[in-house]
Amino acid sequence: MAKGKSAEDHLTIGGRMAWARLRKKMTQKDLAAHLGKSRTTIVQYESNTINPTFETLNEIAQELDVDPSYIAFGGLRRWFDAPAEDTKTIPCFRVEGGSRITEGVMNLPSELVRDLELDDVPVEIVALSKDAPAFGYRRGDRVVIDASRKGVGGDKNLFLMRSGASVDMMQTLTLSGPALGDVLITFGDSQMHRMKADEVDVMGAVLCVIKRV
C-alpha cells in the first residue's frame, strides 16, 4: 500500500482517494490540475470535508487508474473479516484493454501471510480475465502472485501472464536439447504452445488463488 497510509484509510472516500493518488505518485496539486480544480478542493475531498459529485468521482477514478466503485464503496476490502492490525493490505487489479485497473485492496490475514511466507514478497492480487479449466479456475477468481518473479522457470510452475488485453494462467515446462531456452506452455484452456522464454509477458508466479463464490 502507499507509504504512510494505514489500512484504516480505506474506510472513507477521502482515504481511498488519497491512497490511490499516492500509489500513482501524484501530488494533490497534480491531481487538481488534471481535474481542473483547486488543490484546496482536493484537500477537502481527501479529508472528507466534502464529497465529490458522481461525475467528478468517475473523473478521479479515471485519472488514478482505479475502479470508481473502489473510491465510492471500498471495492474488495472486506473479503476477510479480520482486524486491520492482523492483516496485510494488498492491492487488487484487473487488466482491461491492456491497462491495469485497481479494484480495491484486500486484507489477507497475518496467519495466511506467514504460512505463505509473504512478509517480504511484493504481492499483488490480480483478477483472472478468462476461465482456466485446465487448472480448475474461473474468470473473476483472484490470483495472488509474487510480482518479483517475472521470468518463467521450473517445471510445472503456475504463472500469470498478459495475453493480449487480458490475463491468463499458464503452466511451464522447460525444454532441453535443440530446443534449449524454449518453454512449452499450457494455457488455462488446455492449449499448448512452444515459446521463447523471453517472449512470455509474465506478471508473476502464482502463490494461491481465492475462488469467487
Side-chain angles (χ1 to χ4, degrees):
M1 67 189 299
K3 183 178 181 181
K5 307 302 288 181
S6 71
E8 292 308 308
D9 288 315
H10 294 279
L11 293 176
T12 65
I13 289 176
R16 292 188 290 270
M17 179 176 161
W19 178 87
R21 175 180 59 76
L22 291 171
R23 185 184 63 86
K24 285 280 289 184
K25 296 181 170 59
M26 292 177 67
T27 66
Q28 292 173 329
K29 184 178 179 180
D30 292 335
L31 182 57
H34 283 289
L35 296 173
K37 298 186 179 297
S38 68
R39 178 180 175 275
T40 299
T41 299
I42 303 303
V43 171
Q44 290 176 319
Y45 288 158
E46 293 188 357
S47 62
N48 298 296
T49 304
I50 61 174
N51 285 330
T53 64
F54 180 75
E55 181 180 0
T56 300
L57 188 146
N58 278 299
E59 292 174 356
I60 292 169
Q62 184 174 3
E63 290 294 338
L64 300 180
D65 290 334
V66 299
D67 193 297
S69 66
Y70 164 65
I71 294 179
F73 308 114
L76 303 170
R77 184 178 186 276
R78 292 299 182 183
W79 273 40
F80 290 97
D81 185 17
E85 63 271 15
D86 294 332
T87 62
K88 178 173 181 173
T89 303
I90 300 172
C92 303
F93 302 96
R94 72 174 186 269
V95 173
E96 188 174 286
S99 299
R100 285 162 57 104
I101 306 296
T102 300
E103 293 186 317
V105 293
M106 187 179 293
N107 287 340
L108 293 185
S110 296
E111 183 177 355
L112 177 62
V113 171
R114 288 191 297 270
D115 288 346
L116 295 176
E117 299 180 347
L118 303 181
D119 295 279
D120 300 315
V121 174
V123 178
E124 294 179 351
I125 299 176
V126 185
L128 201 57
S129 299
K130 55 182 71 174
D131 290 340
F135 311 116
Y137 302 118
R138 295 184 297 161
R139 181 178 184 272
D141 287 346
R142 265 59 189 183
V143 184
V144 183
I145 63 171
D146 177 353
S148 69
R149 295 179 59 186
K150 299 293 188 182
V152 295
D155 290 344
K156 297 186 178 180
N157 287 338
L158 285 176
F159 295 89
L160 271 195
M161 68 172 290
R162 287 180 183 268
S163 177
S166 61
V167 174
D168 197 3
M169 189 174 286
M170 66 176 188
Q171 189 176 58
T172 60
L173 177 64
T174 304
L175 300 178
S176 58
L180 184 64
D182 289 3
V183 289
L184 185 64
I185 295 176
T186 302
F187 291 97
D189 60 2
S190 298
Q191 292 190 40
M192 301 179 71
H193 295 281
R194 174 175 156 181
M195 301 178 67
K196 294 290 185 184
D198 57 4
E199 294 176 347
V200 185
D201 190 0
V202 178
M203 300 180 70
V206 175
L207 299 172
C208 65
V209 178
I210 303 166
K211 291 189 174 184
R212 64 185 178 87
V213 292

